[in-house]
Amino acid sequence: MSRSNYRNLIIIGNGFDCWQGIPTSYEKFRVYYNEHIAEVASKLGYSFYTIKDTAGIEKKVTAVELIYGNPFEPDQLENDFFWNLEARMDKIDDQIINLYFGRSAEGRKKLSLAVDEAITLLRRLFCDWVMTFNIEEKNSGFRFPDDCFIINFNYTDTLEKRFGVKFKNDFHIHGVATDPESIVVGHSTHPEEPFKELIERKIMEPLDPTKGLPRIDGLYAVEDALYRTDKHTADRIDALCVALMKNGVHIEDIENIYVLGHSFAEADMPYFEFINAVTRCGCNYEKLSAVGHINLGLLQSFEGDDGEQCLLDFIVQNFQYATHHRRRMLPSEKDIFANEGKDTLPYSERDAKDAVMQRFWLEQAGRTQNVLTELSKQYGVPIPEGCHSILGYMDYVGYGHDQRKRNASWHVSCFSDTDRKRVKKVLKDFRVKSYTMHVMIDDCIADFAL
C-alpha cells in the first residue's frame, strides 16, 4: 500500500477571481459581447440577418440572436442569457426555429448554417474575452502548499501568480486563456451524440422521398448544436483522473475539500457528484465508470429471441426523446407533456430518457477505453481484466493505495444567502456530514494565510 503527499483538494470557481479583483463576471462578458459582436461577425465573414418583427419593423441581428432568441421577435439577447450563460446555452427551441426557416431544402440549409454561425460566434467572442484577462503578479497573503491539488474552473493563472501554486498542481478542467482551443464553455444536458437515425433513416423513411423529412432534418441540426455546446463532463472527468494519475495524487488520501467562489451551478453538478463519490469511504470505482452505468440486461435483450424487436424499441425511444423532450424544456402555451407520468402522455419520457442515457454510456465507455489504452502504452502496464475505470487502473499501477478511513471534510465559501441555501441542499443530498460554510473566502482559507 502507498500514500501520496496530497491531502487537500481545492476547487476554484469564478467568484474566486472576482474576489481577487479580476473582471471575470458574466456581466462583463455581456458588455464585451455587445461591444464586439459586429466586429467579430465581420471578421468571420458572417452577415447580419435583416428580419421584420410582428409589428413589421426591420431589425438586424446575428445568428446568435436568431438561434438563442426568438426569430419572430428579433432583438438583443436579454441580460439573463449572459448572467446564466451555460445554463441558457441548451435552451434552443427547435420548433420555433424550424417554423421560421421553413420546410424547403433551402430553408433547411439556412437553418443548419445559422446554427453553425451562432455556435462559432458565441465561442469566438467568449474566448476573445477570456484572453483579455491580464493577471497582475502579487502577494495575496495566502499560499497553497504542495499538499494541495487544484481543480480550477477558471481560465486564468491567478493561483500561480498570487498563491504560490505550481503549474502541475493547477488542473484547469475547462481549459486556459493562453490556449483558446482548450477552452470549454457550455451546458451539461446533451452529452449523447446527435441521434443519427434522424438523418440516416435506415428504419424510418418519408412517405414522399422527393420531399424528405424537413422537420426531422431541422431537429437533427439542433441536436447536433446541443451536442457541440455540451461540456462533456464525463470526458473532462476522465481528463481529471489522468491528471491525478500523472501527478501522483491518490484521491484516497484527500482529507479536505475546499470550494472557493463556486456556486455549485447545475451545469457543473456532475463534477461535484463525482468528487463526492470518490472522496467517501468504500467507493467502488468500477461502478462509477461508464461500463458500471450500462444496463447489461438491455444488451442481453438485443441478443435474445426478441432481439430485433428490443433493438427497434430502443431506437424508437431514442427517436421519441429527440423529437419531444425539447418541448418539455421549453413548453409552449399548450404543453402536451405537462402531465409527465400520467396516462395522458403519448410516450414515457422516463423510459425514453433511460434509453438515451444508455446510448450515451455505451458511447462514453468506448471513449474511456481509448484513454485506458493510451495510459497502458505510456506506463507499460496491461489493463487488468474487468477494469474500466481510470482511477481503478491508477490503483493497479500504483500497487494498491491506502484505503480511505473517513470521508473527506468540505469547506465552502458562500457569499450570498441564495448560494448558502443551494450549497446546504447539495451537501445534504450528498450525505456530507462534516462541512463548514464561510461568507468570505478569506475565512474559508484562513489555514493557508501567510
Side-chain angles (χ1 to χ4, degrees):
M1 295 292 181
S2 61
R3 284 176 65 88
S4 68
N5 296 322
Y6 294 89
R7 298 292 178 270
N8 302 302
L9 189 65
I10 300 179
I11 301 170
I12 301 293
N14 192 35
F16 185 88
D17 273 1
C18 291
W19 168 62
Q20 284 293 299
I22 303 166
T24 59
S25 70
Y26 281 126
E27 167 60 17
K28 298 295 183 182
F29 173 58
R30 183 189 69 81
V31 174
Y32 182 91
Y33 175 94
N34 288 329
E35 290 177 349
H36 294 86
I37 178 64
E39 173 192 352
V40 172
S42 177
K43 285 182 178 179
L44 292 173
Y46 295 161
S47 302
F48 277 73
Y49 293 80
T50 302
I51 303 173
K52 287 185 179 180
D53 63 17
T54 53
I57 300 173
E58 285 191 350
K59 294 183 179 180
K60 290 184 178 294
V61 296
T62 69
V64 178
E65 288 74 34
L66 199 65
I67 299 302
Y68 288 100
N70 184 345
F72 292 103
E73 291 290 343
D75 210 340
Q76 286 190 341
L77 294 172
E78 57 196 49
N79 293 346
D80 184 67
F81 175 84
F82 298 95
W83 296 342
N84 298 285
L85 180 65
E86 294 185 321
R88 289 291 299 271
M89 286 180 71
D90 72 341
K91 304 299 186 290
I92 301 178
D93 194 327
D94 64 272
Q95 298 184 65
I96 287 181
I97 293 172
N98 270 280
L99 182 62
Y100 175 78
F101 284 99
R103 302 170 61 87
S104 68
E106 183 65 21
R108 282 176 275 168
K109 183 178 179 180
K110 288 181 178 180
L111 185 156
S112 182
L113 180 64
V115 167
D116 191 64
E117 285 185 6
I119 294 173
T120 304
L121 262 175
L122 196 58
R123 177 177 171 77
R124 174 66 178 272
L125 280 155
F126 187 83
C127 291
D128 287 355
W129 171 64
V130 167
M131 291 176 69
T132 64
F133 302 154
N134 184 20
I135 313 301
E136 177 188 357
E137 191 166 349
K138 66 180 183 180
N139 185 347
S140 66
F142 299 88
R143 183 180 181 277
F144 297 134
D146 290 344
D147 67 351
C148 298
F149 188 80
I150 317 294
I151 301 177
N152 199 335
F153 283 83
N154 298 339
Y155 311 98
T156 61
D157 56 357
T158 308
L159 295 173
E160 287 92 327
K161 290 185 174 179
R162 300 185 181 183
F163 293 84
V165 174
K166 294 178 180 177
F167 178 77
K168 74 181 186 73
N169 288 337
D170 187 9
F171 177 70
H172 290 262
I173 198 162
H174 288 158
V176 292
T178 53
D179 180 12
E181 291 300 315
S182 73
I183 291 177
V184 175
V185 60
H187 55 87
S188 60
T189 62
H190 202 293
E192 70 277 5
E193 294 180 10
F195 190 44
K196 292 183 179 179
E197 175 57 24
L198 292 172
I199 56 171
E200 290 181 348
R201 292 162 195 160
K202 294 178 180 178
I203 295 178
M204 63 175 183
E205 296 179 355
L207 293 175
D208 185 348
T210 62
K211 294 182 178 179
L213 295 170
R215 171 71 178 86
I216 302 303
D217 289 338
L219 175 62
Y220 183 85
V222 173
E223 289 284 297
D224 182 57
L226 292 170
Y227 176 73
R228 289 162 59 193
T229 53
D230 192 277
K231 287 183 175 182
H232 302 293
T233 55
D235 288 333
R236 302 310 304 154
I237 288 171
D238 279 355
L240 168 63
C241 293
V242 170
L244 294 174
M245 184 172 183
K246 291 186 174 180
N247 286 285
V249 182
H250 297 184
I251 200 69
E252 300 89 348
D253 296 334
I254 296 298
E255 299 172 357
N256 296 289
I257 301 169
Y258 293 86
V259 184
L260 310 176
H262 199 299
S263 62
F264 288 68
E266 193 63 37
D268 293 328
M269 283 310 296
Y271 299 119
F272 286 99
E273 290 168 355
F274 178 81
I275 292 166
N276 175 58
V278 298
T279 55
R280 301 181 71 88
C281 295
C283 177
N284 186 324
Y285 300 145
E286 195 61 27
K287 283 187 177 180
L288 284 180
S289 72
V291 169
H293 285 84
I294 294 173
N295 181 348
L296 297 181
L298 175 66
L299 297 184
Q300 291 169 356
S301 71
F302 295 157
E303 299 174 356
D305 294 338
D306 297 326
E308 187 173 325
Q309 183 61 48
C310 290
L311 179 60
L312 179 60
D313 291 343
F314 179 74
I315 292 173
V316 169
Q317 287 174 329
N318 272 268
F319 179 79
Q320 288 175 326
Y321 187 78
T323 53
H324 292 312
H325 83 287
R326 304 297 305 156
R327 193 164 183 176
R328 287 273 304 135
M329 296 177 65
L330 299 165
S332 58
E333 291 182 9
K334 183 180 180 182
D335 182 3
I336 63 171
F337 304 110
N339 300 309
E340 180 182 354
K342 297 183 180 179
D343 293 338
T344 54
L345 261 179
Y347 80 111
S348 170
E349 182 165 307
R350 291 186 182 88
D351 290 346
K353 177 64 175 177
D354 286 345
V356 170
M357 289 310 299
Q358 284 300 303
R359 176 163 61 88
F360 162 69
W361 287 121
L362 287 167
E363 296 165 358
Q364 187 61 42
R367 290 192 289 268
T368 300
Q369 187 61 42
N370 290 337
V371 175
L372 284 168
T373 300
E374 287 301 312
L375 288 173
S376 179
K377 292 177 182 177
Q378 293 173 27
Y379 286 87
V381 179
I383 304 168
E385 185 177 353
C387 177
H388 306 96
S389 160
I390 296 171
L391 288 182
Y393 179 70
M394 179 182 177
D395 185 51
Y396 179 76
V397 172
Y399 303 105
H401 299 170
D402 276 2
Q403 295 299 303
R404 176 174 290 280
K405 296 180 180 178
R406 66 180 181 86
N407 299 338
S409 297
W410 291 64
H411 312 279
V412 186
S413 71
C414 302
F415 184 73
S416 70
D417 289 339
T418 301
D419 286 347
R420 180 178 291 269
K421 289 179 181 178
R422 173 170 175 75
V423 171
K424 275 188 175 181
K425 182 182 184 308
V426 170
L427 294 179
K428 181 180 179 181
D429 291 343
F430 284 177
R431 296 183 294 111
V432 173
K433 299 293 179 62
S434 176
Y435 68 89
T436 60
M437 301 180 71
H438 308 266
V439 174
M440 303 302 294
I441 292 178
D442 310 59
D443 297 332
C444 194
I445 59 173
D447 290 343
F448 300 104
L450 296 173

